[in-house]
Amino acid sequence: MPASIEFERVHYRLSSGVAVLEDVSFTVERGEVLVLVGRSGVGKTTVLRLINRLLVPSRGEVRVEGRATTEWDPIALRRRIGYVLQEVGLFPHMTISRNIAVVPHLEGWPSDRIRARCAELLELVGLDPASYEGRYPHELSGGQRQRVGFARALAADPPVVLMDEPFGALDPLTRSEMHREFRRIQERVRKTVVMVTHDMGEAFALATRLGVLAEGRLVALDTPEAIARAGDPRIRMFLEALPPVPVVSRVSH
């Protein structure tokens, strides 16, 4: 069985010729949580956009479920990939249940199946369906909206979930709560997750494996514990520039 996601010597350049990614190779196995960290502008979000074919490599190949992204129908590929954004991106004019149901509706699911799936996912993310399915996004707190965003990403049961700074807009206490919720939900659903963040503490809390991007290159890819012990000066400088890493408190997967 092929890896869920594979990058093989991937390069990506802007139309101006500026290099964003240079010779990046890695695999993500099924059910793994890969967290990529790096400063702004090092290519983290570009990696996510290459996975769901919003971008195409300038050189090299990105494969999802064993097939190059260029061989997939783009719409079919994106419907097999959930996407969670920092700002959530819920439709303000839609109820919570309608927000969650966007992809199942596009897939032509019958209404009774959609209703059951929405209720199931609200329960999964810790929101009572009877209390929340008829509300609108502006009636929810930031943490609640983030839970709904995660439920929407899981709605059509995609094998892969991409997360772009998903908790960056939350206050520290809510963020910590969402980390616990993410671990609980991932224990249940076991999706392949690729997450990007600039927060090393978050990466250590959530990752099965952790990758460090610097100047468009993947300079390290290993378990969080191994990354914390790395002697590479580029990694040490990066680690020391960020908040302390809670290695001891990390919950194992």
Side-chain angles (χ1 to χ4, degrees):
M1 183 177 294
S4 186
I5 298 166
E6 300 166 273
F7 273 54
E8 184 176 345
R9 308 208 69 172
V10 170
H11 298 248
Y12 182 75
R13 291 179 177 269
L14 301 176
S15 57
S16 63
V18 173
V20 179
L21 293 177
E22 292 278 359
D23 200 20
V24 172
S25 297
F26 64 85
T27 62
V28 189
E29 300 298 334
R30 294 170 192 272
E32 183 175 22
V33 179
L34 173 65
V35 180
L36 299 175
V37 299
R39 297 180 185 274
S40 297
V42 298
K44 302 188 301 298
T45 297
T46 298
V47 169
L48 300 186
R49 291 175 176 171
L50 287 164
I51 293 170
N52 72 356
R53 203 184 158 180
L54 287 173
L55 299 174
V56 175
S58 304
R59 198 160 83 235
E61 189 170 79
V62 178
R63 292 185 290 273
V64 177
E65 298 181 341
R67 293 170 59 192
T69 55
T70 52
E71 296 175 359
W72 281 85
D73 172 79
I75 302 302
L77 175 63
R78 290 168 198 151
R79 289 184 183 175
R80 290 187 62 75
I81 298 175
Y83 212 133
V84 184
L85 303 169
Q86 176 176 332
E87 298 298 334
V88 186
L90 300 179
F91 297 108
H93 63 288
M94 290 185 180
T95 63
I96 297 309
S97 62
R98 288 184 63 202
N99 266 284
I100 294 172
V102 167
V103 174
H105 178 75
L106 292 172
E107 292 283 275
W109 289 21
S111 57
D112 57 344
R113 183 184 178 193
I114 290 176
R115 283 194 300 270
R117 181 62 172 163
C118 288
E120 176 189 4
L121 288 168
L122 283 170
E123 290 178 353
L124 178 67
V125 300
L127 299 174
D128 175 44
S131 300
Y132 287 93
E133 61 187 3
R135 295 190 189 183
Y136 288 84
H138 73 271
E139 299 177 297
L140 274 57
S141 69
Q144 290 168 339
R145 287 194 297 272
Q146 200 66 55
R147 290 168 189 255
V148 173
F150 196 35
R152 183 176 64 180
L154 297 174
D157 200 22
V160 175
V161 176
L162 307 179
M163 306 182 76
D164 192 354
E165 301 275 5
F167 311 122
L170 302 177
D171 66 81
L173 288 177
T174 304
R175 195 174 204 179
S176 179
E177 179 184 67
M178 291 304 299
H179 290 170
R180 291 193 297 271
E181 284 296 290
F182 172 82
R183 292 191 293 261
R184 178 185 65 80
I185 294 167
Q186 175 64 2
E187 192 68 31
R188 289 269 305 275
V189 301
R190 288 293 178 185
K191 299 298 182 183
T192 301
V193 178
V194 181
M195 179 188 300
V196 302
T197 181
H198 65 275
D199 185 327
M200 184 61 79
E202 181 164 272
F204 272 74
L206 303 180
T208 304
R209 283 193 304 153
L210 196 161
V212 179
L213 282 166
E215 298 179 349
R217 293 182 179 274
L218 188 64
V219 298
L221 179 62
D222 213 323
T223 64
E225 293 84 357
I227 294 292
R229 297 192 300 268
D232 187 323
R234 295 171 299 175
I235 302 171
R236 297 308 318 169
M237 288 177 64
F238 179 76
L239 291 170
E240 290 162 6
L242 291 170
V245 178
V247 178
V248 175
S249 63
R250 176 178 175 266
V251 177
S252 62
H253 294 269

